[in-house]
Amino acid sequence: MVWPLVICALIAAPVQARAPRAKAPRESRATWVSSRLQLPKLATPEEPEPTETLAEALDAAYRTSPALQAQRYDLRVTDEDYAQALAELRPTAQLQVTGDFTRTLAGRITQSRRSFADQLKGSTFNENRISAEVTVEQPLYTGGRATADALAARGAIRAGREELRVIEGDLFLRVISAYAAIRRDSRTLALRQASIAQIKATLDEVTARREAGELTRTDIAQAATQLDAAIATTNLAEQQLEQDRSGFAALVGHDPGVLAPEPALPQLPRSLEEAFDLAQRLSPDLGQVIAAERTSRARIAAAAAEEHPRLSLRGSARLGGQAVPLHTYNQDQEYTGQAVLTVPLTQGGLTSSRIEQARDRNAADRERIEGARRSVVQQVVDAWNGVATAQRNLIVQQAQLKSAQVLDEGTFEEYRAGLRSTFDVLFAHGSLRDAEIALVSTRHDLYVAQAALLRQMGLLEARAILSETPLYQPDANTRDAAERNALPWDPALRALDRLGKDGPPPLPLEQPALPDAPPRVIPAMPMPMVPPARLSPGVPVPGTVGRPVDAHEFKRP
């Protein structure tokens, strides 16, 4: 029992004696190469000095946008409707000049009745006459029609101005979106290009370790695959940036320069209740339908005025006599003055039909007000939630970016020590890149959501967010149209035409009655399993498609 223990001791003793003299492991070539390479950073170049600001882009769009300019001219057209309504109570005058020439070949009876001296002149005689008449008519009372037309025109002007605000707000939102998109995609492109440089540096590291015999060609293939994918994604980012630039040029009228960082937007609400209150008072979408309802309400009074009497003064002066030779002392002169009272008796139900038609149109406009209000509330809520979500994501993604930076640095150091694989390094690089891009995208989303919230509240327009920009003043043209050809007695006649003629009241709004029992969907049979459709009906409706004919048979080319 003792001999085996002695033998084991003799065998172990030389080994213990040699252990202190063992040499340290020789450093591999891959470890030597890795220790001398720096961590490839995801570094982007500094932004160049900006040449254009958001205020300048909005100002250029406000001045040059074809859509905005066209709507301004459309509004001037509506101003002329107001001027035409005012003209209904102003005097009208016309001059009518008539010249007659008559050549008569007298028959026997006519010739026998002529004097002997005229008979000696022959049976053919000529006669010429000229007459000139000036007629002036001054309406005194139109039964309220002129007043109603003026009110309707004012309502249409108000609706047109609100539509102008809608177009302006939509234009500004699109400009801000395009501006922010260029900023986002420029930064994204820079990050993608930096990612290519980072992956290339990682590929160099992998290649060096492959040459040292520590890694395999699979590791090189992994890095090369990621590099090719990064290049393809960068190409798409370049294309997206060019699309953003072309969209910006279409809105603003020129290619974008180097865009400055987006400034903070003014007029943002502090609470959702404040946003609702501002939208209720300032939303152009809601204001447009309210103005349209006022217009249709005035049309009711205009239709009802057709049943009311009308009173006007009419005067005429007429001068008539022989044209050749023309002597004023031989001309007859006639002067006429009239007071014309027109009382409608019946039109076969035409007027009452027009009144009912106007009432129903007004009822539809009143329903549209509620529809517009609901839509505005929805848009405000959506924009508000977009802001809230982007704010929360911004905080989360800032923390995510810090973690991704630690992950990238730590993974590469552990990779050089042999504790991580090539896949881990590439994954860490991609996580850092994606975190940077996500943060840039969220900042864009937050800014655009804030602009969308201002748009729904009616505050995304030049007068609310820009200074030093000359504003378009629609009141000036409306005032010029109203004052053109004005007469001193216009106010008095308009006051007379308004007396007691407001038109019939709007009809109460009706809707289907509530059912006695809870509503249910009609029971239906379940649809059986069906095969996919392979053909579509190709038989046209009769009479809607032509038939081929020869060229010589064409009747209507």
Side-chain angles (χ1 to χ4, degrees):
M1 298 298 294
V2 177
W3 284 107
L5 296 176
V6 173
I7 294 173
C8 291
L10 292 175
I11 295 175
V15 176
Q16 293 174 356
R18 289 194 301 268
R21 295 194 298 271
K23 295 182 180 180
R26 183 178 180 182
E27 184 180 32
S28 68
R29 181 184 176 190
T31 304
W32 181 84
V33 172
S34 299
S35 63
R36 283 155 180 77
L37 289 177
Q38 298 295 324
L39 170 66
K41 300 289 186 180
L42 187 67
T44 58
E46 294 185 0
E47 295 185 5
E49 190 70 20
T51 61
E52 186 171 5
T53 64
L54 178 60
E56 293 172 342
L58 291 174
D59 180 81
Y62 183 76
R63 294 171 183 265
T64 65
S65 169
L68 205 55
Q69 294 283 23
Q71 181 58 31
R72 289 168 181 166
Y73 278 107
D74 288 340
L75 188 55
R76 292 167 66 94
V77 172
T78 310
D79 291 339
E80 297 305 321
D81 290 337
Y82 180 55
Q84 293 168 20
L86 295 179
E88 293 181 23
L89 283 174
R90 291 173 184 161
T92 60
Q94 63 180 2
L95 170 64
Q96 184 177 9
V97 179
T98 304
D100 298 328
F101 174 79
T102 305
R103 183 179 181 86
T104 304
L105 300 178
R108 291 183 178 180
I109 297 177
T110 302
Q111 187 73 357
S112 64
R113 293 176 180 176
R114 300 177 65 193
S115 64
F116 180 75
D118 291 335
Q119 291 180 9
L120 292 178
K121 296 178 181 178
S123 61
T124 300
F125 54 92
N126 301 325
E127 183 179 9
N128 60 80
R129 291 185 59 82
I130 188 171
S131 65
E133 183 177 8
V134 177
T135 303
V136 179
E137 185 170 0
Q138 170 64 67
L140 298 180
Y141 179 69
T142 66
R145 174 63 183 266
T147 300
D149 287 344
L151 290 176
R154 291 291 297 181
I157 290 173
R158 182 62 182 171
R161 292 181 183 180
E162 294 299 322
E163 185 177 0
L164 179 63
R165 293 182 60 215
V166 169
I167 295 177
E168 181 180 342
D170 290 343
L171 173 66
F172 275 25
L173 180 58
R174 293 172 63 191
V175 171
I176 290 175
S177 298
Y179 190 100
I182 292 176
R183 293 273 306 164
R184 175 198 62 194
D185 293 335
S186 297
R187 179 65 178 169
T188 299
L189 179 59
L191 288 169
R192 299 250 179 229
Q193 292 171 341
S195 177
I196 291 177
Q198 186 184 43
I199 296 175
K200 283 182 178 179
T202 303
L203 180 59
D204 293 340
E205 167 73 7
V206 172
T207 303
R209 297 190 67 176
R210 170 72 177 85
E211 293 174 354
E214 186 172 335
L215 299 179
T216 67
R217 61 174 187 163
T218 304
D219 298 279
I220 296 179
Q222 283 182 338
T225 300
Q226 292 299 313
L227 179 60
D228 293 338
I231 293 174
T233 309
T234 302
N235 293 337
L236 293 176
E238 291 178 351
Q239 177 190 6
Q240 182 60 48
L241 179 59
E242 292 305 319
Q243 289 180 354
D244 297 337
R245 292 175 61 86
S246 64
F248 179 93
L251 294 170
V252 178
H254 62 263
D255 290 330
V258 180
L259 303 183
E262 303 92 328
L265 293 174
Q267 311 291 347
L268 289 172
R270 308 295 298 179
S271 66
L272 183 58
E273 290 73 17
E274 181 184 356
F276 283 144
D277 179 67
L278 290 172
Q280 185 82 14
R281 294 187 290 110
L282 302 177
S283 169
D285 301 277
L286 188 57
Q288 184 178 5
V289 294
I290 291 175
E293 189 275 332
R294 293 176 180 173
T295 301
S296 62
R297 193 191 315 167
R299 296 299 183 195
I300 300 176
E306 296 296 331
E307 295 181 334
H308 303 154
R310 294 184 295 275
L311 177 64
S312 62
L313 296 178
R314 183 182 303 166
S316 63
R318 183 178 181 278
L319 184 69
Q322 187 176 3
V324 180
L326 179 63
H327 299 290
T328 55
Y329 53 80
N330 290 329
Q331 303 294 315
D332 298 331
Q333 300 181 25
E334 298 178 8
Y335 301 94
T336 305
Q338 297 175 322
V340 182
L341 176 64
T342 304
V343 180
L345 297 179
T346 180
Q347 293 185 357
L350 178 62
T351 301
S352 60
S353 175
R354 288 175 175 172
I355 294 174
E356 293 302 320
Q357 184 183 54
R359 282 177 167 177
D360 291 335
R361 185 175 290 113
N362 178 253
D365 289 339
R366 282 186 286 162
E367 292 287 0
R368 291 189 182 96
I369 293 176
E370 174 60 16
R373 186 198 66 82
R374 295 182 184 183
S375 178
V376 168
V377 169
Q378 176 193 358
Q379 297 297 331
V380 169
V381 171
D382 291 346
W384 183 272
N385 289 337
V387 172
T389 301
Q391 288 175 336
R392 294 196 302 269
N393 287 346
L394 198 61
I395 296 174
V396 173
Q397 288 169 348
Q398 287 172 343
Q400 179 188 9
L401 178 60
K402 293 180 181 180
S403 300
Q405 291 171 342
V406 174
L407 173 65
D408 189 50
E409 295 174 0
T411 301
F412 191 81
E413 293 298 330
E414 294 173 0
Y415 169 74
R416 294 195 297 184
L419 302 177
R420 295 285 182 179
S421 66
T422 303
F423 174 80
D424 294 331
V425 174
L426 296 174
F427 177 79
H429 288 346
S431 298
L432 178 59
R433 176 200 63 217
D434 293 343
E436 289 271 17
I437 292 175
L439 186 60
V440 170
S441 180
T442 300
R443 287 171 177 162
H444 161 272
D445 295 343
L446 175 59
Y447 198 76
V448 173
Q450 290 175 339
L453 182 60
L454 290 177
R455 161 64 183 86
Q456 297 306 321
M457 294 189 304
L459 291 173
L460 193 64
E461 50 192 18
R463 65 178 179 86
I465 65 174
L466 293 180
S467 61
E468 309 302 327
T469 296
L471 301 179
Y472 176 72
Q473 302 292 345
D475 288 337
N477 188 73
T478 304
R479 186 169 52 253
D480 292 342
E483 294 177 354
R484 191 185 312 126
N485 302 318
L487 296 172
W489 54 84
D490 283 352
L493 292 180
R494 286 198 291 268
L496 176 63
D497 199 62
R498 283 195 298 267
L499 291 179
K501 299 301 179 184
D502 295 332
L507 293 175
L509 298 179
E510 299 176 351
Q511 61 183 15
L514 297 176
D516 297 332
R520 294 185 178 89
V521 177
I522 297 176
M525 296 295 293
M527 188 173 182
M529 294 293 294
V530 295
R534 304 299 184 187
L535 298 175
S536 300
V539 180
V541 177
T544 61
V545 179
R547 61 181 180 85
V549 296
D550 295 335
H552 67 276
E553 296 182 8
F554 275 137
K555 297 181 179 179
R556 294 183 179 179

